[in-house]
Amino acid sequence: MLPSFFRNWKGKRKPTVEAIAMKAVIPWTTTWIVISWYSSNIGVLLLNKYLLSNYGFKYPIFLTMCHMLACSLLSYLAIAWLKVVPMQSIGSTKQFVKITVLCLFFCFSVVLGNVSLRYLPVSFNQAIGATTPFFTAVFAYIMSKKRESWVTYVTLMPVVAGVIIASRAEPSFHLFGFLMCVSATAARAFKSVLQAILLSSEEEKLNSMNLLMYMAPIAVAILLPATLLMERNVIAMAVVLAREDMKIVYYLLFNSSLAYFVNLTNFLVTKHTSALTLQVLGNAKGAVAVVVSILIFRNPVSLVGMLGYSLTVLGVILYSESKKGNK
């Protein structure tokens, strides 16, 4: 028998110029989407840090509300007008309640993550955020009795050990910021497990873009009273800052739009590659964010701290591989 290559080639027509061009376009499209995803992810993270810490705009709840307001408007524009994805509707009051519950934990995780950026450098924030698989595995077992293989659980050991090492060696360690970041990471993992449980039926499943479109307005409704109660002078301070320097307005507009772009490119990367590829790229993104943040903010780092973070990333990669092997 002929080798498969020759069998497949034999009798087939030569590919047309149009077909070759199509094949050439696809990789470039995917490449630009991945670059856009990296840029928006790292960009919004660094700009959050700059606004909340360096610029002195110490209002994480209001900042999160701005993000959700932009996501609400831009999501509707992208789905209803630009037809990025088909619009899905909420089928029942029960489904709406489930989405609202998810939104509560989503808001909780984002706000706490922004709070932590006031006290921690981006590099350390990313190291803690890399422990998401650990919390996901714990919550999956507690909430749905979902067991992983022993190999998968073993791979979580370096994930946790790396953060412990990085914490002990972090020159800019702040206990409150650390607790906020760990809580944000746990809340993010809890939300993902809860989402898999609540929206498990085919009738209730929503793609990530539609889910964001419904969650964002609910988030604004939750965050607005929280802002007025806990950050009472934010509007007055924003007006004062805008009068002194109009850049704050542009920063907030750009930062909020970038927050939506993160979700859009996240969806597009998954669509053009796969969920597993997204996970692998996400691991690398964390490392890139660490390097970029150190170059921009010049925060001190130690060799032991970097080794600890590297150990965490290695554990996450091993975890991803063990999960892939179990499928």
Side-chain angles (χ1 to χ4, degrees):
M1 292 179 65
L2 289 171
S4 59
F5 172 80
F6 290 103
R7 291 203 312 272
N8 294 336
W9 175 82
K10 189 178 179 181
K12 285 190 177 181
R13 291 179 299 174
K14 280 188 174 182
T16 63
V17 175
E18 291 80 4
I20 294 172
M22 283 290 288
K23 287 184 178 181
V25 168
I26 293 172
W28 278 110
T29 303
T30 305
T31 300
W32 279 113
I33 288 172
V34 171
I35 291 172
S36 299
W37 181 59
Y38 265 51
S39 302
S40 57
N41 262 278
I42 296 172
V44 77
L45 186 66
L46 297 179
L47 194 50
N48 282 350
K49 174 63 178 176
Y50 176 74
L51 287 170
L52 294 168
S53 183
N54 298 61
Y55 193 86
F57 189 79
K58 301 177 180 179
Y59 302 101
I61 301 176
F62 178 77
L63 183 62
T64 306
M65 188 184 74
C66 290
H67 289 179
M68 292 300 101
L69 186 59
C71 287
S72 180
L73 297 172
L74 295 175
S75 290
Y76 184 79
L77 176 67
I79 296 174
W81 288 9
L82 300 180
K83 309 294 183 183
V84 174
V85 294
M87 181 173 286
Q88 297 172 292
S89 59
I90 297 178
S92 63
T93 304
K94 183 179 179 182
Q95 187 182 12
F96 176 77
V97 171
K98 291 178 179 180
I99 292 172
T100 303
V101 172
L102 288 175
C103 193
L104 281 168
F105 287 99
F106 176 71
C107 292
F108 189 63
S109 66
V110 176
V111 169
L112 291 183
N114 285 338
V115 169
S116 72
L117 284 172
R118 283 185 57 187
Y119 303 98
L120 300 178
V122 174
S123 53
F124 189 42
N125 179 282
Q126 288 293 287
I128 299 169
T131 61
T132 301
F134 168 77
F135 290 104
T136 302
V138 171
F139 287 131
Y141 177 75
I142 294 173
M143 297 166 65
S144 58
K145 302 300 179 183
K146 182 181 178 183
R147 294 176 181 269
E148 303 288 352
S149 68
W150 67 270
V151 176
T152 301
Y153 288 121
V154 168
T155 60
L156 292 173
M157 293 173 64
V159 172
V160 178
V163 169
I164 294 173
I165 293 170
S167 302
R168 292 179 65 85
E170 174 57 46
S172 306
F173 181 83
H174 191 285
L175 181 59
F176 179 73
F178 173 77
L179 293 175
M180 290 298 99
C181 195
V182 170
S183 300
T185 304
R188 188 162 55 246
F190 184 83
K191 181 255 176 187
S192 66
V193 174
L194 191 64
Q195 181 176 327
I197 295 172
L198 293 182
L199 302 180
S200 58
S201 66
E202 289 300 324
E203 296 78 20
E204 293 182 330
K205 278 185 179 178
L206 297 171
N207 63 51
S208 60
M209 296 305 296
N210 274 274
L211 183 60
L212 179 66
M213 183 181 69
Y214 290 119
M215 283 177 59
I218 300 171
V220 173
I222 294 170
L223 293 169
L224 180 59
T227 301
L228 296 175
L229 285 171
M230 302 174 70
E231 299 175 344
R232 295 180 182 178
N233 64 334
V234 62
I235 303 298
M237 183 58 67
V239 171
V240 170
L241 287 172
R243 285 175 178 172
E244 294 176 355
D245 185 6
M246 271 298 291
K247 287 181 181 177
I248 183 63
V249 177
Y250 303 130
Y251 284 150
L252 288 174
L253 287 173
F254 180 66
N255 183 244
S256 300
S257 301
L258 210 58
Y260 170 72
F261 203 59
V262 168
N263 291 279
L264 176 61
T265 52
N266 187 87
F267 173 80
L268 291 174
V269 169
T270 306
K271 182 179 178 181
H272 282 76
T273 57
S274 66
L276 184 62
T277 302
L278 182 72
Q279 195 172 31
V280 173
L281 290 171
N283 297 336
K285 175 183 64 66
V288 173
V290 167
V291 174
V292 173
S293 68
I294 291 171
L295 292 174
I296 293 177
F297 295 112
R298 305 287 181 179
N299 56 281
V301 292
S302 66
L303 178 61
V304 175
M306 291 305 295
L307 289 173
Y309 177 66
S310 299
L311 181 61
T312 295
V313 172
L314 176 63
V316 172
I317 293 171
L318 293 174
Y319 172 82
S320 301
E321 289 297 315
S322 68
K323 290 280 286 182
K324 182 172 68 174
N326 289 335
K327 288 182 180 179

